[in-house]
Amino acid sequence: MTRLDPPTERECTECGRRDVWDPDRQSWRIRDDASAGSPNCIHDWDINGTYLPIRE
Ligand SMILES: [Zn+2]
């Protein structure tokens, strides 16, 4: 049984930026000001890089 379980949070392993998934906007947003990380970081997210959102 396969169930799609998209991540709702991600964290950059380089700068520590944390994002949360905003289903209303269908995009990631920074969780809070203290989790913004570095603007110069290329960001290496700790979630599965092959995950692709399903388009309905
Ligand atoms: Zn980063």
Side-chain angles (χ1 to χ4, degrees):
M1 177 174 167
T2 302
R3 185 173 73 90
L4 183 66
D5 189 17
T8 57
E9 286 190 30
R10 66 180 183 179
E11 179 173 358
C12 177
T13 60
E14 299 294 327
C15 71
R17 170 172 158 166
R18 290 187 175 196
D19 283 356
V20 293
W21 179 253
D22 186 335
D24 293 333
R25 293 164 50 195
Q26 289 291 296
S27 66
W28 293 100
R29 61 180 171 81
I30 300 172
R31 191 175 68 168
D32 54 53
D33 289 344
S35 304
S38 169
N40 298 320
C41 181
I42 298 172
H43 300 312
D44 184 13
W45 304 111
D46 65 350
I47 59 175
N48 189 332
T50 62
Y51 169 72
L52 293 173
I54 290 183
R55 299 184 184 184
E56 298 180 351

